[in-house]
Amino acid sequence: MQFPDYPFAPQRVEVRPGIAMSYLDEGPRDGEVIVMLHGNPSWSFYWRHLVNGLKDRYRCIVPDHVGMGLSDRPDDAPSASPTYDYTLQSRIDDVDALLKHLGIDGPVTLAVHDWGGMIGFGWALRDPSRVKRLVITNTASFPLPASKRFPKRLAMGRDSKPGGWLIRRFNLFARGAAWFGTTRSLPKDVRAAYAGVYDGWDQAISTLRFMQDIPLDAGDRAMPIVQAAAAALPGYADRPAFIGWGLRDFVFDRHFLDGFRKALPRAIVRDFEDAGHYVLEDKHEVLVPAIRRFLDAHPLADAA
C-alpha cells in the first residue's frame, strides 16, 4: 500500500519471541526524544504530519502497537505459537522493550492519542521523572468519567459477540473511524491508509481486542493501571503540557478534556469546535506549528 504524506522507512524490532513491532525512528540521533503513541484503530500514520514537522530537530519514536499498523498480527489463542495477550500491560511492556532496544533511557516527551494515553501514562508509572513534556490529543489517563455514558458503538465490540464478529469480518471499526473520526472529508487514499491495514479477519484482531480491554469495572484487568495513572496525573502539573482537542469526538469528548484541564491547570489548550477524534487530521495545519512552538519554547535543558 501507498500511504500519503508518510515518506518514512519503518523499522522492526522483536519485542517478544517471534513477535515484531514496526516503528518509526525519525530525526537526529542526538535530538530531544518525542515518543508518539497511537490508539485504536489508528497506527503511526496518525502522527505523520507531526513527525514531518519535527524531524529536522527532534527524534521522533513512533511505534505501531502489536497487531496494529505494520506490526505483526499474532493470534491470542493459548495454542497459537507465538501467542500474544492483547492487554494494556502488554502494550506498556512493548513500549518499554522498544525504548530499551533503541538505548533511550533518558528524558522523553510523551505525545499521546486515544488509548495511547493510557499506554503512555501507564509506561510512565515506572519512572515519572523521565517524562519532561506532554502533548495530549483526544485521549485518557483515567477511567471513564462518572458523568460520561459508555458509547454504544464501543459496547458493540466490547460486550457483544455478534458485534465483535462484525468488526473483525468487515473491519467496521477502522472503516467507521476513517469516515466519521473527522469533520473534514478525508481523501480516499487517507481513509484507505487508516483502514486498509486492518482488512481481513486476522488483520483486524487488535481493533477488537483493544475494545474488549477497555476497563469499566473494578475486576477488569486494565483497571488497576488506569487507576494508578489517574492518581499520578496531577503530578505532571509542574511540567510543560500542550493539549490539542477535537470537541466533536463521541468518545473522548469534553468530559475527558475537563479531566485533563483539572489535573494540568497550567497546560496550553487548543480545543476546536470543528474537529473530531482524529484532531491531527482536522487541524494539523494549526496544531503542528503550535506544537513545534511549544516544544521549542520549553527545551529539555530548562527542565533538567
Side-chain angles (χ1 to χ4, degrees), residues 2-3 8 43 60 85 97 108 132 140 157 183 186 203 231 236 241 256 268 272-273 304:
Q2 297 296 315
F3 306 120
F8 314 119
W43 53 291
C60 302
D85 198 15
V108 303
K132 301 301 186 183
T183 58
L186 297 181
Q203 298 300 305
Y236 297 98
F256 288 92
I268 298 169
F272 303 92
E273 294 282 357

Side-chain angles (χ1 to χ4, degrees), residues 27-303:
R29 303 303 88 176
D30 60 350
E32 296 175 358
V33 175
I34 318 291
V35 179
M36 304 181 189
L37 300 176
H38 71 84
N40 183 36
S42 62
W43 53 291
S44 59
F45 184 74
Y46 169 79
W47 295 107
R48 69 195 185 284
H49 294 300
L50 189 58
V51 175
N52 282 319
L54 298 181
K55 65 180 182 177
D56 64 313
R57 175 175 176 182
Y58 296 94
R59 185 178 182 184
C60 302
I61 308 299
V62 198
D64 292 343
H65 303 304
V66 170
M68 309 295 284
L70 306 181
S71 290
D72 285 354
R73 302 288 201 276
D75 198 351
D76 57 356
S79 59
S81 181
T83 187
Y84 183 80
D85 198 15
Y86 285 93
T87 64
L88 176 57
Q89 185 63 61
S90 295
R91 308 302 193 179
I92 292 169
D93 293 342
D94 294 343
V95 170
D96 201 53
L98 171 62
L99 296 180
K100 287 178 177 176
H101 166 73
L102 295 173
I104 296 173
D105 55 8
V108 303
T109 297
L110 273 183
V112 294
H113 178 250
D114 191 271
W115 207 234
M118 273 317 319
I119 296 167
F121 284 104
W123 171 81
L125 289 170
R126 302 180 180 200
D127 185 359
S129 67
R130 290 185 61 187
V131 179
K132 301 301 186 183
R133 293 175 300 206
L134 296 168
V135 176
I136 296 168
T137 69
N138 289 70
T139 187
S141 63
F142 41 81
L144 183 75
S147 56
K148 167 74 175 175
R149 180 174 296 181
F150 190 64
K152 291 183 179 180
R153 279 174 279 185
L154 294 184
M156 182 187 77
R158 183 186 186 275
D159 303 318
S160 164
K161 287 186 177 179
W165 184 87
L166 289 169
I167 286 169
R168 289 192 66 176
R169 174 64 179 82
F170 297 106
N171 191 17
L172 289 185
F173 194 44
R175 289 183 179 278
W179 274 103
F180 303 112
T182 58
T183 58
R184 68 168 46 171
S185 180
L186 297 181
K188 182 177 180 180
D189 57 351
V190 173
R191 293 199 311 270
Y194 270 113
V197 293
Y198 300 117
D199 280 341
W201 180 266
D202 293 336
Q203 298 300 305
I205 181 172
S206 193
T207 66
L208 177 60
R209 295 295 185 258
F210 253 114
M211 299 169 76
Q212 293 170 332
D213 193 43
I214 296 171
L216 297 178
D217 302 307
D220 292 335
R221 288 194 294 178
M223 186 59 84
I225 299 173
V226 174
Q227 290 174 330
L233 182 62
Y236 297 98
D238 62 342
R239 272 155 267 194
F242 181 98
I243 299 174
W245 208 273
L247 293 171
R248 292 178 61 182
D249 186 335
F250 79 94
V251 179
F252 298 103
D253 57 12
R254 293 178 187 271
H255 296 84
F256 288 92
L257 176 57
D258 289 346
F260 281 108
R261 285 183 185 271
K262 181 178 179 180
L264 307 172
R266 291 164 39 182
I268 298 169
V269 180
R270 296 292 305 272
D271 54 350
F272 303 92
E273 294 282 357
D274 57 343
H277 179 62
Y278 288 150
V279 65
L280 277 176
E281 291 295 340
D282 279 327
K283 293 295 178 180
H284 65 86
E285 297 94 341
V286 176
L287 282 175
V288 170
I291 293 170
R292 175 62 182 257
R293 289 192 298 270
F294 161 75
L295 295 172
D296 289 350
H298 298 92
L300 293 189
D302 291 351

Side-chain angles (χ1 to χ4, degrees), residues 9-13 21-26 29 101-102:
Q11 304 181 54
R12 295 176 68 80
V13 60
M21 169 186 274
S22 178
Y23 67 94
L24 305 180
D25 185 353
E26 297 287 329
R29 303 303 88 176
H101 166 73
L102 295 173

